[in-house]
């Protein structure tokens, strides 16, 4: 299965600032996904990152708050903009094709002061 | 609305005490039911995929089964290293690759 690397692994940020999270895959993949996992909670899909087109956002998530880039088939970024304490969470990147299991990175642990 | 519900939320077992975790789903046109294991500080690790009712998959002490409404993860004679959060996720009828995750079951196995 694909190996997924996320950077940074953790960060502590000031409110009002923005942070960009990187996701690198060791092979070319069509579908990349970004999830949020709040403390003690399960995974909530933020958006699907499509190479060559705009990301597809889930209800409750907007591009202005979570802009996503997908410049090629092995890389994506998620930016968390104008952060507030409510954005403190784990952000996870995954890859997978339709009907196939997704494989995950180890996540970025984000704390907002 | 598509939904996945797991029970119990938490489970404590003694080493060697077998049990089952439940995952109930209401997903139109299920395209796969996936089980993951998540350790603290790590991303979910893929365990099994089940595609049709009656299907079973096994790996060491774990066995996953699927019916038309739910899936079970059976743990036989668990060991302390099986302690983790177990997540199930369902793929729906769209071709988007999206998964809907349950809340997870946190398993603690005591020696």
């Amino acid at each position: 299965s694909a190996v997924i690397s996320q950077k940074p692994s953790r960060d502590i940020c000031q409110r009002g600032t923005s942070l960009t999270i990187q996701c690198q895959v060791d092979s070319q993949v069509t579908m990349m996904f970004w999830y949020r996992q709040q403390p003690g909670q399960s995974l909530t899909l933020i958006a699907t990152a499509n190479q060559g087109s705009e990301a597809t956002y889930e209800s409750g998530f907007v591009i202005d708050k979570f802009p996503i880039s997908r410049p090629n088939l092995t890389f994506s970024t998620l930016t968390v903009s104008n952060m507030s304490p409510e954005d403190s969470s784990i952000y996870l990147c995954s890859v997978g094709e339709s009907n196939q299991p997704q494989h995950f990175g180890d996540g970025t642990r984000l704390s907002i002061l | 609305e598509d939904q996945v519900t797991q029970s119990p939320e938490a489970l404590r077992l003694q080493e060697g005490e077998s049990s089952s975790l439940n995952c109930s789903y209401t997903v139109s046109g299920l395209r796969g039911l996936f089980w993951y294991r998540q350790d603290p500080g790590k991303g979910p690790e893929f365990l099994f995929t089940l595609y049709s009712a009656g299907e079973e998959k096994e790996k060491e002490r774990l066995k996953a089964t699927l019916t038309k409404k739910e899936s079970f993860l059976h743990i036989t004679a668990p060991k302390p290293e099986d302690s983790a959060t177990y997540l199930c996720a369902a793929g729906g009828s769209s071709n988007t690759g999206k998964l809907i995750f349950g809340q997870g079951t946190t398993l603690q196995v005591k020696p």
Side-chain angles (χ1 to χ4, degrees):
Chain A
S1 61
V3 176
I4 301 124
S5 302
Q6 276 187 245
K7 290 182 181 180
S9 60
R10 62 180 64 241
D11 208 339
I12 300 172
C13 300
Q14 297 294 324
R15 67 177 67 200
T17 62
S18 298
L19 178 74
T20 296
I21 302 167
Q22 299 179 4
C23 179
Q24 179 76 53
V25 189
D26 68 343
S27 59
Q28 292 186 343
V29 293
T30 306
M31 293 183 173
M32 295 181 78
F33 304 89
W34 287 98
Y35 290 84
R36 181 172 72 184
Q37 187 173 29
Q38 295 181 307
Q41 302 294 313
S42 190
L43 281 71
T44 301
L45 182 64
I46 297 171
T48 303
N50 307 307
Q51 197 270 331
S53 64
E54 294 287 329
T56 304
Y57 289 83
E58 297 301 303
S59 176
F61 297 96
V62 295
I63 187 171
D64 289 346
K65 177 68 175 177
F66 298 102
I68 287 171
S69 78
R70 181 83 197 271
N72 57 51
L73 291 174
T74 63
F75 187 78
S76 179
T77 66
L78 170 75
T79 298
V80 186
S81 302
N82 188 24
M83 291 184 284
S84 66
E86 294 72 39
D87 295 319
S88 296
S89 192
I90 301 170
Y91 293 85
L92 291 152
C93 167
S94 75
V95 303
E97 306 300 333
S98 182
N99 304 338
Q100 299 298 315
Q102 292 179 18
H103 298 278
F104 289 81
D106 280 339
T108 295
R109 280 144 191 81
L110 182 58
S111 297
I112 314 304
L113 301 180
Chain B
E1 181 183 345
D2 294 341
Q3 196 168 357
V4 175
T5 304
Q6 290 187 247
S7 62
E9 287 187 14
L11 183 61
R12 285 185 175 183
L13 299 173
Q14 289 296 129
E15 185 172 2
E17 180 187 1
S18 301
S19 188
S20 297
L21 282 55
N22 177 264
C23 172
S24 298
Y25 63 91
T26 51
V27 174
S28 55
L30 182 74
R31 285 193 165 204
L33 190 291
F34 305 90
W35 282 98
Y36 291 86
R37 168 189 172 129
Q38 187 173 26
D39 292 295
K42 298 287 188 179
E45 175 190 353
F46 169 69
L47 293 173
F48 302 110
T49 307
L50 302 164
Y51 288 108
S52 56
E55 190 174 359
E56 297 182 354
K57 293 274 180 71
E58 262 187 275
K59 179 181 179 181
E60 296 181 356
R61 295 176 292 282
L62 300 177
K63 182 166 98 173
T65 62
L66 182 66
T67 72
K68 289 186 178 180
K69 293 184 178 180
E70 56 193 354
S71 178
F72 293 94
L73 185 65
H74 306 278
I75 303 176
T76 302
K79 298 182 177 182
E81 53 263 40
D82 294 322
S83 298
T85 296
Y86 291 86
L87 299 165
C88 78
S93 57
S94 68
N95 213 23
T96 61
K98 285 171 50 175
L99 296 181
I100 303 155
F101 278 84
Q103 292 298 104
T105 295
T106 300
L107 172 66
Q108 184 181 29
V109 182
K110 294 196 167 185

